[in-house]
Amino acid sequence: MKNGLKLLVGLVFGLLICSLESCRTAQTAAARSQKAESALSKQAEQSLQAADTSNSGKRSKAVASAVEPKQTDPATSSADIVAFNATEIEPDELFTELQQCSTSDHVVPPDPVPTPAASTGTQSVSEPLPLQPPAESGTVLTFNQAVFAGLNSHPTIGATIEQIRQSQGDLLQSSLLPNPTLFADIQMLPFGNAFTPTRQGGPPQQDVFLTYPIDWFLFGKRTSEMAAKQYAVHVTQADFQDLVRTRIQLVATAFFDVVEVQALEELAQENIENLEAVEQKTRQAVDIGKRPTVDLSRVRLDVLAARQQLRLAHASVISKQAELRSITGWEDGSSALSVVWPLSTPLVDARMPVEQALATSERTRPDLESLRWQVTQACAEVTVEQRAARPEITPGFGWTRQYQKVIDQPDANSWNANVTMSVPIFDRNQGNIAKAQATQHQAQFQYQAKLLDVRAEVRQAVAELQAAEDNAKAVADEQLQLASQVRDSIVEAYSLGGRPLIDVLDAQRNYRETYRLYITTRTAYWTALYRYRAAVGAQVVEHE
């Protein structure tokens, strides 16, 4: 019996040592992985800095091609963002069952998850790197740099990448095999006086049992759970692509807002300079008696009003630059952030017929793709709950040693076999199955609702782009040049005494309003263009 106690104590200590070694091994592996990721991040940041110095446009193009949503087969679209190799999923009839379950009159599910090659881990996603400002011009952003910053420097991107990693972790966890259970005991020990041949009892015995569940294999519980988690990975990856789509639109809107207010500030400054020139000429004419004093007072009022407009325009520039700084995640707050974009950039023909735009959006929008994956995932969850209703079966084997020398009998060894199985009479997981089915129906309704919203958004974006394009074409460069020539001619005639002051002020006002209309229509066009591209899920064209 003493030997049995020593054996039991040794077994417990052996299990504790194994557990400690496993934890130490896991910590070592995690530390190595973190060290490797840090080295890769540092190397990537150095490469990014070198790319910034050489050519920021090429860097922006590489980022745009890597993160912009591209329409591919739903079963393989996630590989462009995150590569994950899961344990092989079997049997094949599971996906046939999921296809039959998810098929409805309204929602066409994505293709079933392909059977990937077996692997033991995940491939990590590269960390979002901070945007390095160009040398000697850290406060001036081009459109490409603004989009690059919005997709790489903002914390929202990193938070969404972590959601992908979480779903990958769930998939990895669902692919792991269950652990066996070890049970060890010693029983029938004497309480008080020891057992003797004349005072028999027991005999003391030691039991060791090893059990292992098999219902996950018999009923396909593990494979159904893996399929559901795989669909969840596709959902998070589609959500990431949709975040990229929406952030490009936000950056474009904020960028062209800054372009507009900067141009309006320059226009206000030019207006002050023109009025001050008229004021000087008027003062000279008043001094020699060719103009009445009231003309000089009227010009002074216009100059004061123009300076007030300049202060308001400058405040608008600061406000819009702050919004752009927030959206792009630009952390350099030491100086003002300005943008560069020629207003004379030629307009592009990006519109397509409404029906074609609707078909393209339904095919390429990542948010619709995410909802389609959610429908399939909800169907897989129904299968998970249905298979969870099956019995839990846990067979086991054991060894027993009886210490009988205390009663003048030899010690005896024996083995045992047992099966533990739940009997699903009352609880057959009815509530969770009903909940999963309701979730599946809810996902289908959400997809239909989103589809209606997308169609309305596309139609609205097409109409806005059409109107913005017509307005931008209506105010051409020739019209702006003509207004400038008329203003200069009238001012020259005024200086010679051939025109009254009212004509000069009207010419200044016409030029200012024409230029203002030119600025607002041009920036409104580019804002509407990127809103349209976001609505249809089209690729964003890089601007040199």
Side-chain angles (χ1 to χ4, degrees):
M1 184 174 65
K2 293 181 179 180
N3 293 333
L5 289 174
K6 292 180 180 179
L7 179 61
L8 180 61
V9 173
L11 181 62
V12 172
F13 274 103
L15 292 175
L16 291 176
I17 292 174
C18 291
S19 300
L20 292 176
E21 289 295 331
S22 299
C23 294
R24 186 179 304 172
T25 303
Q27 293 176 354
T28 303
R32 291 178 180 176
S33 176
Q34 185 176 5
K35 185 176 181 181
E37 289 184 1
S38 301
L40 289 175
S41 299
K42 184 179 295 184
Q43 182 179 3
E45 185 173 357
Q46 294 175 355
S47 301
L48 182 61
Q49 292 176 357
D52 287 329
T53 307
S54 62
N55 193 335
S56 61
K58 294 181 179 179
R59 179 191 62 189
S60 303
K61 184 176 182 180
V63 171
S65 62
V67 298
E68 287 173 6
K70 300 178 180 180
Q71 178 57 27
T72 58
D73 182 45
T76 58
S77 60
S78 58
D80 294 336
I81 300 178
V82 178
F84 183 82
N85 295 325
T87 306
E88 184 174 357
I89 300 178
E90 294 180 351
D92 294 337
E93 55 266 20
L94 170 65
F95 300 113
T96 302
E97 179 180 348
L98 291 179
Q99 280 185 316
Q100 295 175 353
C101 174
S102 60
T103 302
S104 66
D105 296 336
H106 306 288
V107 181
V108 179
D111 295 337
V113 179
T115 303
S119 178
T120 58
T122 62
Q123 179 178 350
S124 62
V125 184
S126 58
E127 296 287 348
L129 299 176
L131 174 65
Q132 301 295 330
E136 305 299 333
S137 59
T139 59
V140 179
L141 277 183
T142 64
F143 181 79
N144 295 337
Q145 292 172 342
V147 172
F148 186 91
L151 297 181
N152 288 269
S153 300
H154 203 276
T156 305
I157 298 294
T160 308
I161 290 178
E162 294 304 323
Q163 291 181 355
I164 299 178
R165 287 174 174 164
Q166 292 173 14
S167 62
Q168 290 176 343
D170 292 338
L171 175 58
L172 176 61
Q173 186 64 34
S174 66
S175 67
L176 301 178
L177 298 178
N179 295 320
T181 302
L182 179 65
F183 172 79
D185 72 342
I186 185 167
Q187 55 182 330
M188 297 185 182
L189 299 177
F191 186 77
N193 298 327
F195 297 142
T196 63
T198 58
R199 188 177 178 275
Q200 295 185 3
Q205 70 178 34
Q206 178 183 356
D207 302 303
V208 178
F209 289 92
L210 185 66
T211 60
Y212 190 74
I214 61 173
D215 52 287
W216 60 269
F217 174 75
L218 293 178
F219 305 123
K221 295 180 179 180
R222 173 173 168 268
T223 55
S224 62
E225 184 71 19
M226 290 175 63
K229 298 304 181 183
Q230 178 67 70
Y231 293 135
V233 172
H234 289 304
V235 170
T236 56
Q237 290 170 343
D239 290 341
F240 177 82
Q241 292 177 347
D242 188 61
L243 176 66
V244 171
R245 177 186 68 88
T246 55
R247 286 208 62 80
I248 291 176
Q249 177 190 350
L250 289 176
V251 171
T253 301
F255 181 88
F256 290 111
D257 284 345
V258 176
V259 171
E260 178 179 351
V261 294
Q262 284 184 173
L264 292 177
E265 183 183 22
E266 294 176 358
L267 176 61
Q269 181 64 41
E270 181 183 359
N271 185 42
I272 289 179
E273 295 175 357
N274 293 332
L275 290 176
E276 287 178 347
V278 173
E279 179 187 8
Q280 183 179 2
K281 294 178 181 180
T282 305
R283 180 178 290 107
Q284 294 175 355
V286 170
D287 292 340
I288 62 178
K290 291 184 177 182
R291 296 285 180 182
T293 307
V294 67
D295 286 352
L296 180 60
S297 300
R298 185 169 184 178
V299 174
R300 288 288 300 166
L301 289 176
D302 285 353
V303 170
L304 293 176
R307 289 175 179 173
Q308 183 180 7
Q309 291 297 324
L310 179 60
R311 288 190 292 268
L312 294 176
H314 183 68
S316 298
V317 169
I318 295 177
S319 176
K320 294 301 181 180
Q321 287 178 349
E323 293 181 7
L324 180 61
R325 189 187 300 273
S326 174
I327 293 176
T328 57
W330 196 276
E331 298 180 356
D332 184 13
S334 59
S335 58
L337 181 65
S338 60
V339 300
V340 54
W341 177 271
L343 291 176
S344 59
T345 302
L347 308 182
V348 297
D349 186 12
R351 286 186 298 108
M352 61 181 72
V354 176
E355 296 302 326
Q356 183 180 355
L358 292 174
T360 302
S361 64
E362 294 178 14
R363 187 179 67 254
T364 61
R365 285 276 294 248
D367 50 350
L368 292 178
E369 182 182 359
S370 174
L371 288 172
R372 286 192 290 266
W373 282 119
Q374 290 180 32
V375 172
T376 308
Q377 180 191 1
C379 180
E381 293 292 348
V382 173
T383 304
V384 170
E385 299 300 337
Q386 290 174 345
R387 295 188 178 186
R390 306 289 177 85
E392 298 178 357
I393 303 176
T394 306
F397 296 91
W399 166 78
T400 300
R401 180 173 178 82
Q402 294 178 320
Y403 303 97
Q404 304 179 118
K405 291 183 179 180
V406 295
I407 57 175
D408 292 338
Q409 296 292 329
D411 294 345
N413 295 322
S414 59
W415 66 276
N416 307 279
N418 62 79
V419 175
T420 302
M421 183 179 71
S422 63
V423 182
I425 299 177
F426 306 107
D427 183 2
R428 295 188 298 277
N429 208 30
Q430 300 96 321
N432 290 332
I433 293 175
K435 180 181 178 181
Q437 291 174 345
T439 302
Q440 178 190 356
H441 298 156
Q442 181 186 27
Q444 293 175 348
F445 288 130
Q446 289 175 346
Y447 174 77
Q448 291 299 316
K450 186 63 176 180
L451 193 59
L452 294 175
D453 293 340
V454 168
R455 290 170 179 171
E457 181 183 353
V458 169
R459 289 190 175 94
Q460 182 180 0
V462 171
E464 290 179 356
L465 180 59
Q466 178 65 55
E469 183 176 354
D470 294 340
N471 291 335
K473 291 179 178 179
V475 185
D477 295 338
E478 293 79 4
Q479 184 177 355
L480 184 64
Q481 185 178 4
L482 181 61
S484 177
Q485 293 175 355
V486 171
R487 179 201 61 184
D488 295 340
S489 299
I490 294 179
V491 170
E492 183 66 22
Y494 172 77
S495 61
L496 298 177
R499 286 280 187 173
L501 177 62
I502 188 64
D503 291 346
V504 175
L505 297 181
D506 286 341
Q508 294 280 4
R509 186 179 300 106
N510 290 335
Y511 171 77
R512 185 171 61 252
E513 294 301 326
T514 302
Y515 203 165
R516 180 186 298 274
L517 188 60
Y518 177 78
I519 294 172
T520 55
T521 54
R522 286 280 172 161
T523 55
Y525 167 78
W526 291 108
T527 302
L529 175 63
Y530 282 97
R531 185 181 296 112
Y532 166 79
R533 283 174 171 166
V536 300
Q539 286 284 87
V540 175
V541 180
E542 181 187 9
H543 292 277
E544 298 295 342

